[in-house]
Amino acid sequence: MSFPKLLNRLFLGPRVTEKQESFLKTDEEFETVGAELKSIVINLYGGRSLRIRAVDGGSTNAEEIELTALNNAYYDIDRFGLSFVASPRHADMVWVTGPVTRNLERAVRTTYEAAPEPCIVVAIGDGACTGGIWKDSYAVVGALDKVIPVHIKIPGDPPTPTQILRGVLNALKQSSSK
Amino acid sequence: MITLSLWNNVFMGGTLLFAIVMMGKPRLPAMLRYFALSSLCLAGLIVTSSLMHGEEQPYTIAAINVFFKVILAPLILMFAAKKVHASMALKFYLRPTATYFVALLILLVSVFVSMKMPGAPYLSIALVLLGLMFMIVRKDLYSQIIGFMTMENGIAAYGVLMIGGFPFMIETGILFVVITGAVLMAVLSRHVQELYATGDTESLTELTE
Amino acid sequence: MNFSFFVLLSLAGTLLAALVSCISAKGQGHRAVMTLLALSTGLGAIASAVFLLSGQSQLAISQSVWFFSTPFALSTLSALFFFLLNTVACLASVYAIKYVEQYAEIYNVRVLDGLMAIFVLGMQGVLLSSAPFGFLVFWEVMSISSFFLVMADKQAASVRAALFYLIMTHLGAGAILAGFLILSGSSIFEPFTRLAVLAQSLPPQTLFGVFLLFLFGFGSKAGLVPFHVWLPEAHPQAPSHISALMSGVMLKMALYGFLVMTFSVLPIRSSTEALIVIALGLLSAVYGVIYAVIERDVKRVLAFSSIENMGIIFTMIGVAMLVKSQGMDTFAHVAIGAALLFAIAHAFFKSGLFMGAGVMVHAAHSRSLEVMGGFSKRMPVFSGSMLILALAAAALPPFSAFMAEWTFIQNLVANLSQMSPFIQGVLVLVLVTMALVGGLALFAMIKLFGIGFLAEPRSEHAAHAKAPDALIAVPIFALAALTIFVGACAPWILSIIGFADLTSFETWHTNLVVAEATLNPLVLFDVLIALFLVVFVARRLLSNKKHERPYHTWDCGQPITSGMEYTATAFSSPIRFFFRMITRTKKNVIATPVLASNPWIASRIFSLDLRQIWYDVLYVPIQHACLWTSTQVRKLQNGVIQFYIALIFIALVVTLTIAL
């Protein structure tokens, strides 16, 4: 189109983008849970981070995407003192997603056994908590507690980041009170 | 003594002459005959030379020589040739006249050689070179052994003319070589005759591969 | 004390062992022969050790009319090598008692034992001879018996390697004989001292030619590049105790010969000879170590490592020759001391490594490193000894090879400033190359031990490996202990063999002193042991054992198989890539499609080919030239007898013409 028409469209045309306030407002609930989590992590782990090893036991990837989202610039759990590690030997906490399929049962079990005690096991998502819609399938062992002992279950398909953080906070409060 | 040295020269000349004549003979019996004559002269040379140098008992050695070279060796070869019905006309690379010419050249060469080498008498050098040439220009097997025996004659002449007498050891050695050579050649020529139906050495060239 | 009697008794015992093996019945007598050999060589070792300790410098053994009146005598240098030979031979015969029985169907045991005894006898004779005649006779005995020993298992590869070895060793022996004949003026019954006197009167060009002949003769036996090509073929094919003897001791015979010729007989005049020796030594060291890193056959790795070690020793000797020609005698003396110490170290650790390689090969039923692994859990004591030997081979403290290299390098660096610029350049080059070689040698030994012993076994045979029998493991353990001993007591050993100026005695321990730098090996060794103990005890005391829970290695959730482990080919690939100009590796991938309709589904065969640059550049052109010449000469053969006789006639005429 010609240049004057373009200028007309840009400055005098209808609005097609969102207003900044509608997506840039901070998630208040998330921040409060995060602040509380930070103080309890500093308390429990002496100024060091809480190390988390995430194991996928055969999920639909919905929970995994939420876990990935926790690390992005919007949620950013690193500032609360939570970091992901690659080796279970370094882990204080193990997050397991998805119902445990028969092929990955051994992997989940060896991951838990390779992690040094005390290790907190968190089952994330409906599949890990109860087996979900695959509960009686021939390809699936079932809920996570049929394979390894579970300390905290966070239901949801998938659970929101706030729910995940609140679940972790409860787990830490539980273990610190023991 | 004068007569003895005359006889010495006669025998030397005779050995050489019969050897040269033998070169050009195209038939086997003639060749063997002249070889026998040459060896007979050599035996005479042994006698006169030993007598000249004062050795005793040359007659036994001469007699042995005569027996082996003159009588036995040609007989063995003739017998072997007759047995396999070999052709008596021998083949050669050079015609008789050309052979005599080459023999003359060799005589001249040996004159020069014997002048340069004062230690060796002319007869022995001439006989050795003639024998070698004989082996080269003839195609059949019997000539090979005859040529070889001519070379042996030359060496024996060398021994006789230098030392005077003839040590028994050397004599025995030479005679054994002669007899073994004759027998060997007889057997071999029989084999070759059976395999190839000729006594020709040309058929043996296919053995190289 | 009459040492000569004991030395002769040792020789007689060896000969008796050979005879007994000949006359014993098939299947019996192996133990008796090996025990007899071990006893006689042990006696020889003790006699030479006592001789060295007593401080005598010469000992005449015998000069019998039966042997053309050649003198046999023992000097300090030959007593040292005699001790090395007999110790290694004693341990090798103990090792052979059980080792050969494991392979009784492959080897002809009687012949093997007899030949081994004759081989040891040959080497003993070489060391005791002090005239060229005896030297050469026993040298030939040694060469021919080892030729038969290399092809003991009668396979095609062994026979080919043995023939190759025979040709090279006879070329070398011919060169040595020529050298002796030129030096002695055609009389080889003169003793070496007389040869030294005769050599003073020869012109320099003749002496240079004689030196080159000796260099080729002794160098080809010692494995100097480019005469080394027989060594990596022959040493792996021989039985392991014979490989130990050949690599650990026979190379020392060549070294002994070279030392005697260069320093006692030939007068050192020019630096060209020294530069040639240094060049060949450095070339051997670098070439040997590169191939030691790249090879996957365990015995070939050790053979190339021997080439590298002999290269280092010859470099040290070359440097000694160079500075001696400049007139600096103390420098040269120290360099020779370092070379001898390295030779002692090499004799022990290389023999131990070869005998250990025999155990590895027997356990894995193959010589390739790619199917070994996991031995350290199944044979712990044996693996411990092999670890010590491998660390010694890599010239790490506190083992003996490190002491020798330290002495040499310290000496070099201390005297560097006093040399002319050209010599300084050469010495700096030597220093740099030895550093490179040291690093790569460590790489090779780590590969050998890591892939051969650690991790999980890579094949069924290796998984079922059992600890070796005591008679097999004890000699290896003894050699490892000897390596530590030589390392810790290096100053004492140097003072025994006549290099007391390298040591200084302080209160209750001796130091190694080179030009104002001191090193006390015993203290170093003690410090290391103390460190180990401190860490061990501290861990025991301070760690919280009741909360420990043993668990297998983290495997990412999937079971670990041996196919996931590092292979020797992969481990050495960076070095192979870096030096690809020299090693000329050729990779071949052959893809054959499985389905006719889909060319992308194919079964692929991959092969990796190593060629040595010497074959392509030096040996193959010589082969082609010889074959071409022979083909041309063959055209003369047309089968006509008269032609041949005519040729004789012409030759006779020509000769007469020329002669008259």
Side-chain angles (χ1 to χ4, degrees):
Chain A
M1 56 170 77
S2 66
F3 190 61
K5 259 203 178 152
L6 177 65
L7 287 178
N8 197 18
R9 175 71 71 85
L10 278 177
F11 289 110
L12 303 172
R15 189 186 182 85
V16 292
T17 53
E18 283 184 30
K19 283 201 182 294
Q20 198 183 30
E21 299 83 47
S22 67
F23 67 83
L24 206 50
K25 60 177 177 352
T26 51
D27 198 339
E28 294 297 331
E29 209 186 334
F30 186 78
E31 293 299 318
T32 42
V33 173
E36 215 180 326
L37 192 57
K38 181 173 182 177
S39 62
I40 204 173
V41 163
I42 290 176
N43 214 7
L44 274 182
Y45 291 97
R48 293 192 289 267
S49 310
L50 173 66
R51 314 270 180 188
I52 304 170
R53 205 323 178 148
V55 185
D56 184 349
S59 67
T60 55
N61 245 9
E63 302 93 340
E64 299 288 323
I65 291 176
E66 293 301 324
L67 293 186
T68 313
L70 277 176
N71 254 333
N72 63 13
Y74 188 78
Y75 290 109
D76 193 12
I77 52 172
D78 274 346
R79 61 199 159 116
F80 303 138
L82 300 161
S83 72
F84 284 98
V85 288
S87 171
R89 296 259 195 247
H90 306 158
D92 301 312
M93 186 181 268
V94 172
W95 283 1
V96 187
T97 58
V100 181
T101 57
R102 291 201 188 277
N103 282 341
L104 283 175
E105 177 190 355
R106 185 182 176 277
V108 170
R109 195 192 307 273
T110 48
T111 310
Y112 170 68
E113 286 172 356
E117 315 223 332
C119 175
I120 305 171
V121 179
V122 180
I124 297 183
D126 280 337
C129 293
T130 56
I133 56 175
W134 308 278
K135 194 162 38 159
D136 298 314
S137 163
Y138 61 90
V140 155
V141 176
L144 186 59
D145 48 21
K146 290 198 182 136
V147 182
I148 53 179
V150 178
H151 297 107
I152 281 284
K153 297 189 185 184
I154 306 179
D157 193 357
T160 62
T162 319
Q163 286 173 332
I164 295 175
L165 275 194
R166 197 172 283 132
V168 172
L169 182 60
N170 288 338
L172 287 179
K173 280 189 190 156
Q174 238 182 26
S175 73
S176 71
S177 65
K178 270 198 281 233
Chain B
M1 277 303 136
I2 298 176
T3 8
L4 207 52
S5 73
L6 185 64
W7 274 113
N8 203 15
N9 290 337
V10 165
F11 281 132
M12 280 211 299
T15 315
L16 201 52
L17 179 69
F18 287 128
I20 294 172
V21 171
M22 176 183 82
M23 295 263 147
K25 289 291 167 185
R27 286 172 44 85
L28 182 65
M31 194 176 76
L32 290 176
R33 191 178 311 135
Y34 281 101
F35 173 72
L37 282 173
S38 175
S39 306
L40 196 61
C41 289
L42 184 67
L45 182 65
I46 294 175
V47 171
T48 55
S49 187
S50 330
L51 285 178
M52 268 175 61
H53 287 245
E55 295 281 328
E56 60 278 347
Q57 305 295 337
Y59 300 104
T60 33
I61 295 181
I64 295 171
N65 226 342
V66 162
F67 176 64
F68 276 102
K69 279 201 223 163
V70 176
I71 302 176
L72 196 57
L75 264 182
I76 292 177
L77 286 174
M78 274 308 294
F79 181 67
K82 287 236 177 65
K83 193 95 187 293
V84 295
H85 304 287
S87 95
M88 290 295 143
L90 304 175
K91 294 204 182 60
F92 29 77
Y93 286 111
L94 278 181
R95 285 196 319 277
T97 35
T99 318
Y100 287 130
F101 185 66
V102 174
L104 191 62
L105 278 180
I106 291 196
L107 287 182
L108 284 174
V109 165
S110 24
V111 166
F112 284 122
V113 171
S114 67
M115 279 202 309
K116 285 293 178 58
M117 263 191 351
Y122 172 72
L123 177 66
S124 53
I125 297 175
L127 272 179
V128 166
L129 288 178
L130 277 176
L132 204 49
M133 195 208 80
F134 193 57
M135 283 164 80
I136 294 174
V137 301
R138 291 278 177 149
K139 266 196 206 175
D140 67 290
L141 290 161
Y142 304 101
S143 320
Q144 308 295 317
I145 191 62
I146 296 291
F148 188 66
M149 287 203 250
T150 317
M151 286 172 74
E152 292 284 329
N153 274 351
I155 297 172
Y158 173 77
V160 161
L161 290 173
M162 296 311 315
I163 306 172
F166 213 43
F168 189 63
M169 281 291 148
I170 301 182
E171 178 71 26
T172 330
I174 293 183
L175 288 176
F176 270 127
V177 167
V178 163
I179 287 304
T180 317
V183 169
L184 257 176
M185 198 47 74
V187 170
L188 275 174
S189 59
R190 212 190 83 184
H191 277 291
V192 170
Q193 191 75 14
E194 278 172 15
L195 272 176
Y196 294 106
T198 76
D200 215 342
T201 52
E202 263 188 358
S203 48
L204 292 177
T205 58
E206 66 187 42
L207 289 173
T208 50
E209 195 38 58
Chain C
M1 202 182 308
N2 200 357
F3 298 124
S4 53
F5 171 68
F6 287 111
V7 170
L8 278 175
L9 193 62
S10 160
L11 279 177
T14 317
L15 191 59
L16 188 63
L19 288 172
V20 168
S21 84
C22 291
I23 62 178
S24 69
K26 198 179 174 96
Q28 295 146 18
H30 166 67
R31 291 189 176 222
V33 170
M34 285 291 119
T35 323
L36 187 58
L37 188 62
L39 283 173
S40 72
T41 44
L43 184 64
I46 296 174
S48 54
V50 174
F51 169 77
L52 279 173
L53 283 172
S54 73
Q56 268 178 291
S57 69
Q58 272 289 100
L59 176 70
I61 305 281
S62 90
Q63 190 157 352
S64 83
V65 184
W66 286 14
F67 213 59
F68 299 95
S69 304
T70 39
F72 287 98
L74 203 60
S75 68
T76 319
L77 189 66
S78 60
L80 171 68
F81 284 106
F82 197 71
F83 175 71
L84 290 177
L85 162 67
N86 281 323
T87 318
V88 173
C90 180
L91 291 170
S93 29
V94 170
Y95 175 90
I97 294 179
K98 270 280 157 60
Y99 177 78
V100 175
E101 278 177 10
Q102 288 169 343
Y103 288 106
E105 295 90 37
I106 304 181
Y107 300 128
N108 183 341
V109 178
R110 279 186 304 161
V111 170
L112 190 69
D113 292 342
L115 281 172
M116 179 178 169
I118 295 179
F119 183 47
V120 173
L121 182 70
M123 289 196 281
Q124 285 176 329
V126 164
L127 287 173
L128 291 177
S129 313
S130 58
F133 177 71
F135 189 90
L136 283 168
V137 164
F138 283 109
W139 187 268
E140 274 302 300
V141 167
M142 179 178 89
S143 303
I144 293 183
S145 55
S146 53
F147 160 67
F148 285 113
L149 281 168
V150 167
M151 56 179 202
D153 63 355
K154 300 177 210 122
Q155 293 180 340
S158 305
V159 174
R160 199 188 84 98
L163 284 173
F164 203 179
Y165 167 56
L166 187 69
I167 294 172
M168 290 299 295
T169 196
H170 273 115
L171 282 175
I176 299 174
L177 177 64
F180 277 137
L181 285 175
I182 296 177
L183 257 189
S184 64
S186 317
S187 152
I188 54 174
F189 296 101
E190 313 271 350
F192 288 140
T193 43
R194 177 105 181 89
L195 283 183
V197 169
L198 281 174
Q200 307 283 350
S201 52
L202 286 175
Q205 291 87 5
T206 323
L207 281 177
F208 185 64
V210 167
F211 172 77
L212 285 179
L213 282 171
F214 280 136
L215 184 62
F216 172 66
F218 290 119
S220 68
K221 197 55 171 255
L224 275 187
V225 163
F227 320 122
H228 69 288
V229 274
W230 61 273
L231 213 154
E233 311 283 335
H235 281 201
Q237 304 289 344
S240 302
H241 56 295
I242 303 296
S243 297
L245 274 176
M246 281 172 75
S247 188
V249 188
M250 195 174 71
L251 302 186
K252 304 293 168 303
M253 300 296 119
L255 178 68
Y256 165 73
F258 188 73
L259 275 174
V260 167
M261 284 306 124
T262 321
F263 289 100
S264 312
V265 175
L266 291 176
I268 307 286
R269 292 214 182 107
S270 70
S271 52
T272 338
E273 306 168 348
L275 285 174
I276 295 177
V277 173
I278 293 180
L280 287 183
L282 287 178
L283 194 60
S284 314
V286 172
Y287 189 80
V289 80
I290 291 174
Y291 273 90
V293 169
I294 292 172
E295 284 284 344
R296 287 106 37 153
D297 177 341
V298 61
K299 282 193 174 177
R300 278 179 80 104
V301 168
L302 293 174
F304 275 112
S305 171
S306 281
I307 295 180
E308 173 237 328
N309 290 327
M310 293 312 284
I312 292 181
I313 296 179
F314 271 87
T315 311
M316 292 182 186
I317 294 179
V319 165
M321 286 166 69
L322 183 66
V323 299
K324 195 160 182 188
S325 71
Q326 309 294 108
M328 305 187 65
D329 277 334
T330 37
F331 191 164
H333 191 60
V334 174
I336 297 185
L340 283 179
L341 190 59
F342 199 96
I344 299 175
H346 178 251
F348 289 143
F349 69 66
K350 195 40 69 72
S351 322
L353 279 173
F354 262 107
M355 291 200 244
V359 175
M360 287 163 78
V361 167
H362 178 71
H365 291 245
S366 153
R367 287 208 305 263
S368 166
L369 272 175
E370 314 278 31
V371 300
M372 297 187 189
F375 293 143
S376 60
K377 293 206 172 59
R378 289 159 178 79
M379 309 194 239
V381 174
F382 169 68
S383 307
S385 345
M386 285 295 280
L387 177 64
I388 294 175
L389 289 167
L391 289 177
L396 288 177
F399 304 111
S400 35
F402 171 75
M403 301 300 156
E405 286 206 6
W406 182 86
T407 314
F408 180 68
I409 293 179
Q410 190 69 32
N411 190 21
L412 203 71
V413 166
N415 286 327
L416 199 56
S417 50
Q418 303 160 17
M419 303 282 168
S420 68
F422 173 67
I423 308 267
Q424 270 185 344
V426 168
L427 290 181
V428 165
L429 181 68
V430 166
L431 203 58
V432 163
T433 317
M434 282 186 75
L436 171 70
V437 166
L440 285 175
L442 186 60
F443 196 106
M445 284 302 130
I446 288 176
K447 181 190 80 169
L448 180 76
F449 188 75
I451 309 245
F453 282 84
L454 301 179
E456 293 294 312
R458 293 179 178 79
S459 67
E460 276 302 308
H461 289 296
H464 296 307
K466 291 191 296 293
D469 198 76
L471 278 176
I472 293 183
V474 163
I476 303 175
F477 190 72
L479 282 168
L482 271 171
T483 321
I484 299 179
F485 171 74
V486 170
C489 302
W492 179 66
I493 293 181
L494 279 176
S495 61
I496 289 180
I497 58 176
F499 289 92
D501 51 321
L502 284 176
T503 65
S504 80
F505 192 72
E506 260 181 50
T507 54
W508 48 273
H509 55 134
T510 31
N511 284 339
L512 200 56
V513 176
V514 177
E516 295 115 29
T518 42
L519 172 71
N520 195 329
L522 201 57
V523 165
L524 188 64
F525 181 65
D526 293 339
V527 162
L528 275 169
I529 298 282
L531 269 174
F532 277 127
L533 282 177
V534 160
V535 168
F536 185 71
V537 166
R539 185 189 173 272
R540 287 274 152 158
L541 286 179
L542 298 176
S543 73
N544 209 346
K545 285 220 70 172
K546 58 184 188 309
H547 288 301
E548 272 186 19
R549 172 175 55 105
Y551 195 64
H552 65 74
T553 315
W554 169 239
D555 51 9
C556 289
Q558 300 300 325
I560 290 184
T561 60
S562 61
M564 301 171 184
E565 290 171 351
Y566 234 153
T567 59
T569 319
F571 193 71
S572 56
S573 72
I575 304 291
R576 195 168 60 235
F577 176 74
F578 192 77
F579 290 105
R580 62 193 179 281
M581 266 293 125
I582 305 176
T583 59
R584 304 253 173 133
T585 49
K586 279 197 273 277
K587 292 190 190 171
N588 235 351
V589 178
I590 305 175
T592 45
V594 172
L595 290 176
S597 51
N598 190 351
W600 296 106
I601 304 178
S603 79
R604 289 183 166 82
I605 300 177
F606 171 77
S607 66
L608 185 69
D609 228 342
L610 270 184
R611 273 187 75 76
Q612 301 192 36
I613 196 176
W614 301 107
Y615 277 127
D616 298 336
V617 167
L618 199 63
Y619 286 86
V620 167
I622 294 181
Q623 273 178 7
H624 283 314
C626 286
L627 284 174
W628 182 85
T629 327
S630 324
T631 322
Q632 301 308 312
V633 170
R634 218 181 138 267
K635 292 190 180 144
L636 274 179
Q637 271 189 325
N638 58 358
V640 181
I641 309 174
Q642 286 83 358
F643 181 64
Y644 302 150
I645 304 176
L647 284 178
I648 299 176
F649 185 66
I650 294 171
L652 187 64
V653 169
V654 167
T655 319
L656 284 175
T657 326
I658 296 177
L660 299 175

